[in-house]
Amino acid sequence: MMSNRFRSVSLLALVLPCVLASRAVAQVAVRGKTVYTMTGAPIRDGVVLIRDGKIAAVGTAAAVSIPEGFRVLEATVVTPGLIDAHSTVGLSGIYNQPHDQDQLEHSAPIQPELRAIDAYNAREKLISWIRGFGVTTIHTGHAPGELISGQTTIVKTWGDTFDDAVIVSTAAVAATLSPLAQKTDKGKSPGTRGKMMAMLREELIKAQEYQRKREKADPEKTPDRDLGLDMMGRVLKGEIPLMVTANRAQDIASTLRLAKEFNIRVWLDSASEGYLMLDEIKQAGVPVIVHPSMVRAFADFENMSFETAAKLRKAGVPIALQSGYESYVPKTRVVLFEAGWAAANGLTFDEALAIITIDAAKILGIDNRVGSLAVGKEGDVALYDGDPFEYTSHCVGVVIDGNVVSEAPQ
Amino acid sequence: MMLLTGCLAAKAQEAAIHPDAPQAFVGAKLIPISGPEIDRGVVLIEHGKITAIGAADAVAIPPDARRVDVAGKIIMPGLVDTHNHIGGFGGADSSAPIQPDVRIFDSLNVRDSGFRRAVAGGLTTLNIMPGSGHLLSGQTIYVKLRKAEIIDDLFIRDADGKPTGGLKMANGTNSMRDAPFPGTRGKSAALVRERFIKAQEYRDKIAKAVGDSDKMPPRDIGLEALVEVLDGKRIVHHHTHRHDDILTVIRLSQEFGFRVVLHHVSEGWKVADEIAKAGVPCSVIVVDSPGGKLEAVDMTFKTGAALEKAGAQVAFHTDDWITDSRVFLRSAALAVRAGMSRDGALKALTLAGAKMLDLGDRIGSLEVGKDADFIILDGDPLSVYSKVLETYVEGQKVFDRTDPKDYLYAVGGYGAGNEQAPYLCCFDQPEGQ
């Protein structure tokens, strides 16, 4: 043990200049008794070869020879690095004190101009916590809790800065159609469901008119630039989806109505009564980022079901799973555990793994880069000493862009 | 008339499954907790008690017993949750930091859906407590999750017929607030000490009166509860996270000689030897991540393992709403992930908790003479895939996963919630506590 440790330390010293020059230097081979590639049937005794940070080969150990000098990691089960399709970590921090809580700005109910990029703390401790369970990509940003709370981003769970970590700088604009966004400060924030929809529609109509005027040739009539309306304009053009957090059936219906009225791309978020709206959601062609399987059953979630993910998927709705937003203890959930609970409540093992890997990547629009173990994709891999969903298994290794970022069993 | 007939029919049906009929559960793997696991065993119950337990070929099944084939299943004792907040809890109010006169059971709604979810999770005994926003937020109540019409039906009574329970206390940041609440840890401890000294004086006055009603002090129901604590009849259940707060609790318990269970114990792993040396039992919470408040930043899955290794008594709790009663088994499994022994972790869901409620002689293990509180599982209790199929309290089935009504509460769905949203003190605030 000791000599191995020394060897890796001295190796580190040798390669340090290269690390500074380029993040992805490690040449790594991951060998697993079972390798879930998410592109087909699992491979028994498989190898994933990662060269210069990208996957160079995937196959059986017999078919893929490991070149000299490659570092070899071994595990019982190997999966693609996991994707958490909706989190707030990096904006929400472990201490839960005002100085590390940037996920909700309460000064106004509609602030699409708030960028996640300006708040994301790449060194946040919760990020290394979830990474230790195999989560390598997160969609994170402004939390549910204001009508339009701000923007979201997609990042890897590694790197010292936002620029190191970023995959998609602005992924979505986050909206909340739920009593979570209702306030009692009369006149500023919405107090009812009707008012929430009225304010959202007004904002989108304002953005339509702003866009039209901005695009007119006459510079005399061009309205002043407005960061929020710029952003809503991108939503109206379909460049960026509006992620709408809605749980009750009527709020889900409102979300679908809004998508149709303005012909915008929508990600339906949470959807704890989604099992009541299977046909409607499917017909609308809207993907769902499902609430954590074990979300607490009260308030907006009082009719939550452990089987929501299974029912939506069975109905043919594209879904991904999330760890969600936690305002108290624990400060974050772990999407691996939420997927395990979904696997125990109606989904098959493969389906439950898909909604935190390839299916999540497809919804988030990053499946060209991550989400499966396929040649050309980024070298993000999670290693486990047993069934990843079993509580008593451990994540025994995490590789991001070909870098072995964690080996301590967690 | 129609109504009456309906009632009679229901009564007749109830009689047919009366718990007094002896029942033999045959063929399951038994996890008795008090002894080694039995691969193919029999549990015999009658009049709500366990009358025999052992290997299938070692237990004589009476001819009149109703046989229940549970081959391939697993039977273990009903789970004991030492710290739970279901029932729409509301203990002490904001008028004062120390309110021992308040009883939690005066606020509980027995029809709260939390009770239905709890039996679906295999819980059979709970310590329902007021919250942690006070130094002392009131009297807790120990309940069995029997079928019930009023909260009294759930009480676990002592030999005199009195409902049993403990006393909820807290230190650290939750109970530090604007006046009249303390603003520092020093003030918190001083306020507690002053009140316990008052209770000692009250007790002494009663003793001196020797039954003479003219010499008795005016009755004080808050001090009465504290005297029960001083006399060792009522256990203090103490919310505490930080390592130094844990030691403060131990110091106070030693000064006044009260019996205490440490709850949450997030930094217990830092002072595990001190806890073990003091002989103070720990009820541990297991949650998905550290943080959420400053005191919980060093929280870890390994707390159970560290305390076990040091020789301290360990139980787990749900702290439901913090974690859902339906996933209580998971607390033990995650502790095993972090190095706790399997036997220790299973005991921490059952017998260890029972002992922390002074109920170790009645519940918590599959032993002859104990209450027939048990669960039937379709797989190993530490596996994510295993389901609680049935839950029994005192021989009566209180949860059956094949019953659609029970299933609704077991997995959730439309109508599984409460019509009245429960009162929650601190979990819906978006900002730091």
Side-chain angles (χ1 to χ4, degrees):
Chain A
M1 283 303 270
M2 222 39 195
S3 65
N4 265 339
R5 205 189 164 100
F6 277 121
R7 202 157 50 223
S8 51
V9 168
S10 56
L11 187 71
L12 191 71
L14 278 174
V15 300
L16 201 59
C18 311
V19 172
L20 294 174
S22 154
R23 282 180 65 212
V25 292
Q27 311 297 340
V28 179
V30 182
R31 185 168 179 176
K33 284 184 183 151
T34 305
V35 176
Y36 292 91
T37 63
M38 310 315 289
T39 61
I43 302 170
R44 304 295 161 196
D45 192 14
V47 171
V48 183
L49 213 62
I50 303 169
R51 180 177 280 130
D52 300 330
K54 299 258 165 114
I55 297 174
V58 183
T60 59
V64 177
S65 60
I66 299 171
E68 189 93 0
F70 270 57
R71 179 157 179 215
V72 180
L73 303 177
E74 294 189 15
T76 308
V77 173
V78 172
T79 71
L82 308 183
I83 299 171
D84 183 343
H86 187 194
S87 166
T88 62
V89 299
L91 279 78
S92 56
I94 190 169
Y95 300 108
N96 211 13
Q97 300 298 307
H99 76 270
D100 76 337
Q101 301 304 298
D102 284 302
Q103 69 280 8
L104 273 173
E105 164 66 50
H106 292 300
S107 55
I110 297 181
Q111 303 195 62
E113 65 273 25
L114 307 185
R115 300 189 300 188
I117 168 175
D118 298 316
Y120 182 75
N121 173 12
R123 294 168 197 256
E124 166 54 44
K125 284 180 184 172
L126 292 173
I127 294 168
S128 51
W129 173 257
I130 59 171
R131 184 179 63 218
F133 293 101
V135 178
T136 56
T137 297
I138 54 174
H139 171 225
T140 188
H142 289 93
E146 290 290 349
L147 195 53
I148 295 181
S149 63
Q151 301 169 20
T152 63
T153 184
I154 303 172
V155 289
K156 294 274 178 86
T157 55
W158 197 65
D160 291 338
T161 65
F162 177 80
D163 292 329
D164 284 347
V166 64
I167 299 180
V168 178
S169 184
T170 297
V173 170
T176 304
L177 270 181
S178 141
L180 285 170
Q182 290 171 13
K183 302 281 152 56
T184 48
D185 55 343
K186 289 189 187 77
K188 205 163 79 169
S189 295
T192 61
R193 288 186 156 88
K195 187 69 177 178
M196 284 194 293
M197 273 299 273
M199 287 174 73
L200 267 184
R201 293 179 61 232
E202 276 158 5
E203 178 71 8
L204 283 161
I205 288 165
K206 210 160 87 181
Q208 279 175 334
E209 285 166 3
Y210 169 83
Q211 283 291 117
R212 201 162 47 233
K213 284 183 193 160
R214 289 279 298 180
E215 281 162 14
K216 278 206 174 134
D218 185 357
E220 296 287 303
K221 289 180 185 166
T222 302
D224 291 343
R225 196 168 161 212
D226 179 309
L227 292 177
L229 292 179
D230 274 350
M231 204 59 218
M232 295 315 285
R234 293 183 67 189
V235 169
L236 284 165
K237 284 183 184 161
E239 290 173 18
I240 286 174
L242 189 68
M243 177 172 70
V244 184
T245 302
N247 282 307
R248 300 288 187 173
Q250 68 266 43
D251 298 327
I252 294 172
S254 296
T255 303
L256 303 181
R257 205 176 291 123
L258 193 76
K260 201 172 168 190
E261 178 180 355
F262 292 94
N263 191 28
I264 53 175
R265 278 171 63 206
V266 158
W267 292 341
L268 178 57
D269 177 65
S270 202
S272 71
E273 290 181 2
Y275 52 79
L276 295 176
M277 302 286 288
L278 297 174
D279 293 342
E280 292 84 352
I281 296 169
K282 188 173 180 210
Q283 227 163 32
V286 167
V288 182
I289 303 173
V290 182
H291 62 83
S293 312
M294 291 180 273
V295 74
R296 296 184 182 94
F298 69 85
D300 227 18
F301 292 102
E302 70 172 6
N303 293 323
M304 65 75 76
S305 166
F306 297 154
E307 297 175 339
T308 302
K311 285 182 175 168
L312 284 163
R313 191 174 160 112
K314 201 174 168 198
V317 175
I319 61 162
L321 199 63
Q322 62 172 303
S323 65
Y325 167 49
E326 290 292 332
S327 64
Y328 189 49
V329 175
K331 196 55 196 167
T332 184
R333 292 173 177 272
V334 179
V335 82
L336 169 69
F337 295 140
E338 303 303 328
W341 197 241
N345 285 279
L347 284 184
T348 65
F349 176 91
D350 288 8
E351 288 169 339
L353 190 56
I355 63 174
I356 54 170
T357 55
I358 187 62
D359 293 359
K362 283 179 183 162
I363 290 173
L364 298 175
I366 52 173
D367 55 312
N368 58 329
R369 293 180 61 175
V370 296
S372 62
L373 300 175
V375 173
K377 286 204 182 181
E378 290 164 15
D380 298 354
V381 185
L383 292 77
Y384 300 92
D385 62 1
D387 178 342
F389 294 145
E390 281 290 13
Y391 300 133
T392 48
S393 298
H394 305 87
C395 179
V396 293
V398 182
V399 182
I400 297 181
D401 294 334
N403 298 283
V404 181
V405 296
S406 159
E407 286 180 273
Q410 183 172 318
Chain B
M1 194 60 200
M2 282 295 283
L3 201 67
L4 188 64
T5 318
C7 279
L8 288 172
K11 283 276 178 219
Q13 205 176 10
E14 212 168 84
I17 51 159
H18 198 275
D20 282 355
Q23 291 186 79
F25 294 82
V26 182
K29 175 178 170 177
L30 307 180
I31 306 177
I33 303 298
S34 50
E37 296 180 7
I38 300 165
D39 270 343
R40 266 184 51 80
V42 172
V43 181
L44 201 64
I45 66 169
E46 194 172 357
H47 303 299
K49 299 275 185 192
I50 297 169
T51 52
I53 170 176
D57 52 8
V59 174
I61 299 170
D64 62 330
R66 191 159 72 87
R67 292 174 73 105
V68 183
D69 178 14
V70 280
K73 309 288 195 298
I74 288 173
I75 293 182
M76 67 179 286
L79 309 186
V80 178
D81 186 0
T82 44
H83 188 138
N84 194 303
H85 297 297
I86 60 174
F89 75 107
D93 64 10
S94 57
S95 60
I98 297 179
Q99 302 187 39
D101 50 331
V102 173
R103 301 181 301 194
I104 187 67
F105 72 73
D106 291 313
S107 73
L108 296 180
N109 172 12
V110 78
R111 289 170 176 78
D112 184 277
S113 60
F115 288 102
R116 305 292 302 273
R117 286 196 290 269
V119 289
L123 278 60
T124 54
T125 298
L126 311 180
N127 175 26
I128 301 182
M129 306 229 268
S132 54
H134 296 71
L135 296 170
L136 199 165
S137 58
Q139 299 169 33
T140 80
I141 187 77
Y142 303 157
V143 299
K144 282 278 193 92
L145 297 183
R146 307 174 186 109
K147 297 207 164 175
E149 294 293 325
I150 57 172
I151 194 70
D152 310 51
D153 296 339
L154 300 184
F155 292 163
I156 298 174
R157 295 175 186 278
D158 64 15
D160 303 327
K162 264 186 68 185
T164 56
L167 196 72
K168 175 71 183 289
M169 292 182 68
N171 66 4
T173 54
N174 281 27
S175 43
M176 291 196 283
R177 293 192 262 158
D178 293 341
F181 286 75
T184 62
R185 288 178 158 84
K187 182 73 173 179
S188 300
L191 289 173
V192 167
R193 293 181 64 230
E194 277 164 8
R195 191 61 66 94
F196 270 105
I197 288 165
K198 270 210 177 97
Q200 285 174 330
E201 290 167 357
Y202 182 75
R203 180 183 61 180
D204 294 346
K205 278 181 198 161
I206 293 171
K208 271 189 197 150
V210 212
D212 182 346
S213 59
D214 293 338
K215 290 180 184 162
M216 284 283 277
R219 204 175 155 202
D220 183 320
I221 55 174
L223 291 178
E224 279 177 8
L226 286 179
V227 169
E228 288 176 355
V229 167
L230 290 172
D231 289 347
K233 293 176 190 160
R234 185 179 286 278
I235 295 172
V236 171
H237 294 282
H238 211 300
H239 161 113
T240 183
H241 286 285
R242 221 169 73 175
H243 61 96
D244 52 331
D245 289 331
I246 292 168
L247 298 181
T248 298
V249 175
I250 293 174
R251 193 180 307 119
L252 292 176
S253 76
Q254 287 170 346
E255 178 179 356
F256 294 99
F258 60 74
R259 299 166 69 205
V260 66
V261 175
L262 303 172
H263 284 254
H264 308 324
V265 218
S266 302
E267 291 189 355
W269 58 274
K270 294 182 181 174
V271 286
D273 289 338
E274 288 81 357
I275 291 170
K277 197 176 152 206
V280 176
C282 295
S283 176
V284 173
I285 189 166
V286 182
V287 295
D288 291 63
S289 71
K293 56 182 175 183
L294 292 173
E295 299 172 326
V297 165
D298 287 345
M299 196 178 234
T300 152
F301 291 171
K302 75 178 180 187
T303 303
L307 290 167
E308 178 185 50
K309 197 176 162 206
Q313 298 171 58
V314 182
F316 296 115
H317 64 253
T318 64
D319 201 3
D320 195 338
W321 302 87
I322 293 289
T323 73
D324 193 313
S325 293
R326 291 172 294 185
V327 295
F328 189 30
L329 288 164
R330 178 176 185 262
S331 299
L334 290 176
V336 169
R337 183 190 192 109
M340 195 175 183
S341 74
R342 174 187 164 87
D343 287 352
L346 291 174
K347 190 177 171 188
L349 292 169
T350 53
L351 188 56
K355 287 180 177 168
M356 292 178 203
L357 307 180
D358 263 349
L359 297 168
D361 56 338
R362 290 166 71 171
I363 58 164
S365 58
L366 302 178
E367 286 182 272
V368 172
K370 280 200 168 178
D371 293 352
D373 297 355
F374 61 94
I375 58 178
I376 303 174
L377 295 144
D378 66 355
D380 190 85
L382 299 185
S383 169
V384 66
Y385 302 109
S386 297
K387 300 283 186 298
V388 175
L389 301 176
E390 294 177 10
T391 303
Y392 288 78
V393 174
E394 293 160 3
Q396 194 175 11
K397 196 194 288 183
V398 294
F399 169 75
D400 184 341
R401 196 175 159 90
T402 62
D403 179 332
K405 270 190 240 151
D406 286 351
Y407 188 81
L408 173 65
Y409 291 100
V411 305
Y414 202 75
N418 280 315
E419 284 177 19
Q420 299 175 36
Y423 163 79
L424 286 165
C425 73
C426 11
F427 311 128
D428 55 353
Q429 295 169 11
E431 303 301 350
Q433 307 298 313

